Amino acid sequence: MDERLARVWLATAVEEARAGLAEGGIPIGAALYGPDGTLLGRGHNRRVQDGDPSAHAETAAFRAAGRRRTYRGTTMVTTLSPCWYCSGLVRQFGISRVVIGEATTFHGGHDWLAGHGVEILVLADPECVALMRAFAQDNPELWQEDIGE
Amino acid sequence: MDERLARVWLATAVEEARAGLAEGGIPIGAALYGPDGTLLGRGHNRRVQDGDPSAHAETAAFRAAGRRRTYRGTTMVTTLSPCWYCSGLVRQFGISRVVIGEATTFHGGHDWLAGHGVEILVLADPECVALMRAFAQDNPELWQEDIGE
């Protein structure tokens, strides 16, 4: 996909990540865009805020998008490489593309998704790296809890 | 694991599936048990009831169990073979075992999980098969929506 558009969409996910951080949560954000570029849903990790371990950024954005007949042509934009849980979501529901802010601080299942026909774009965004690096350094136990380590 | 105990735990997941059906929802139920056999959380698919596509049975049970430092030694019991989304959940959070009511009407990611060290027990339970078979026959579009097909 067009990298400039991908960076515009990433800004929505970064806004979500910052909102999560401001709430005292884990700074990971995501947004689901439709084939025509419509924003279908956006969200951020809510483990701390809601005490909900199932609310990863990608699942929150997916939930916010509500029920849909198909995800063909949709793009999941996330500030961080999707974990296996969120990668499984992308594969099961046939989400066509994943735009990833960074895969430096955490490397999830995006290679596996690429092997199953999902278009992957890793942007190596410095702000996304800085957000996660600072958070994981200051809150190592919380971050490990969020990824089951 | 002991198959008799697995069948006792499966009864909890079947109760959840029946509750979902009674609410007009998709009849898939799940329960998460701790290493000592404590029931940590239970739930059922809530796509129809809550308009929430992220609420699969396994994710609902996981959410109900709340935040935990580790899932080592836990068992996810589900009436139906876990889809990629729910299989990803099991892998990411290091859930040790999955007890599956049936994998006849739907074959998800449990072979993949077995290949990654998760203990898998498929019980081939006739009631679980009957619940899903009848539901999928009567509601093919809803069932396909739930698995993104």
Side-chain angles (χ1 to χ4, degrees):
Chain A
M1 72 172 293
D2 180 68
E3 189 174 320
R4 198 161 50 181
L5 180 59
R7 290 190 185 275
V8 171
W9 289 357
L10 180 64
T12 306
V14 172
E15 270 181 26
E16 287 291 332
R18 283 199 208 110
L21 187 65
E23 292 163 3
I26 300 171
I28 308 172
L32 185 68
Y33 281 90
D36 62 353
T38 305
L39 177 60
L40 303 177
R42 56 191 289 174
H44 53 264
N45 188 298
R46 304 193 61 81
R47 171 177 294 272
V48 173
Q49 297 92 318
D50 297 347
D52 181 354
S54 77
H56 273 199
E58 297 90 333
T59 61
F62 179 78
R63 189 184 303 172
R67 287 176 58 179
R68 308 205 151 255
R69 189 61 197 88
T70 178
Y71 294 86
R72 196 175 304 128
T74 62
T75 303
M76 180 67 80
V77 186
T78 174
T79 56
L80 182 66
S81 172
C83 78
W84 287 114
Y85 170 44
C86 297
S87 295
L89 176 90
V90 168
R91 179 169 176 189
Q92 186 64 47
F93 290 100
I95 292 170
S96 298
R97 295 190 292 199
V98 182
V99 170
I100 298 168
E102 63 108 346
T104 305
T105 69
F106 176 76
H107 193 110
H110 62 272
D111 298 327
W112 178 72
L113 287 174
H116 287 285
V118 179
E119 185 185 338
I120 302 291
L121 179 59
V122 181
L123 292 174
D125 181 78
E127 182 177 0
C128 290
V129 174
L131 268 169
M132 273 314 293
R133 188 160 282 160
F135 183 81
Q137 274 173 359
D138 294 346
N139 308 272
E141 290 199 359
L142 182 53
W143 170 230
Q144 284 166 10
E145 179 189 313
D146 197 55
I147 50 173
E149 284 179 1
Chain B
M1 74 172 292
D2 180 67
E3 190 174 319
R4 199 162 49 179
L5 179 59
R7 290 190 184 276
V8 170
W9 288 358
L10 180 63
T12 306
V14 172
E15 269 180 27
E16 287 291 331
R18 283 199 208 110
L21 187 65
E23 292 162 5
I26 300 171
I28 308 173
L32 184 68
Y33 280 91
D36 63 353
T38 305
L39 177 60
L40 303 176
R42 56 192 290 174
H44 53 264
N45 188 299
R46 304 193 60 82
R47 171 176 294 271
V48 174
Q49 297 92 318
D50 297 348
D52 181 355
S54 77
H56 274 199
E58 296 90 332
T59 62
F62 180 77
R63 189 184 302 171
R67 286 176 59 180
R68 309 209 149 250
R69 186 63 198 85
T70 179
Y71 294 87
R72 196 172 305 128
T74 63
T75 302
M76 180 67 82
V77 186
T78 174
T79 55
L80 183 65
S81 172
C83 77
W84 287 113
Y85 170 44
C86 297
S87 295
L89 176 89
V90 168
R91 179 170 175 188
Q92 186 63 47
F93 291 99
I95 291 169
S96 298
R97 295 191 290 199
V98 183
V99 170
I100 298 168
E102 63 108 347
T104 304
T105 68
F106 176 76
H107 193 111
H110 64 271
D111 297 328
W112 178 72
L113 287 175
H116 287 285
V118 179
E119 185 185 338
I120 301 291
L121 179 60
V122 181
L123 291 174
D125 180 78
E127 182 176 359
C128 290
V129 174
L131 268 169
M132 274 312 293
R133 189 161 281 159
F135 184 81
Q137 275 173 358
D138 294 346
N139 307 273
E141 290 198 358
L142 182 53
W143 171 229
Q144 284 165 10
E145 179 190 313
D146 196 56
I147 49 173
E149 283 180 1

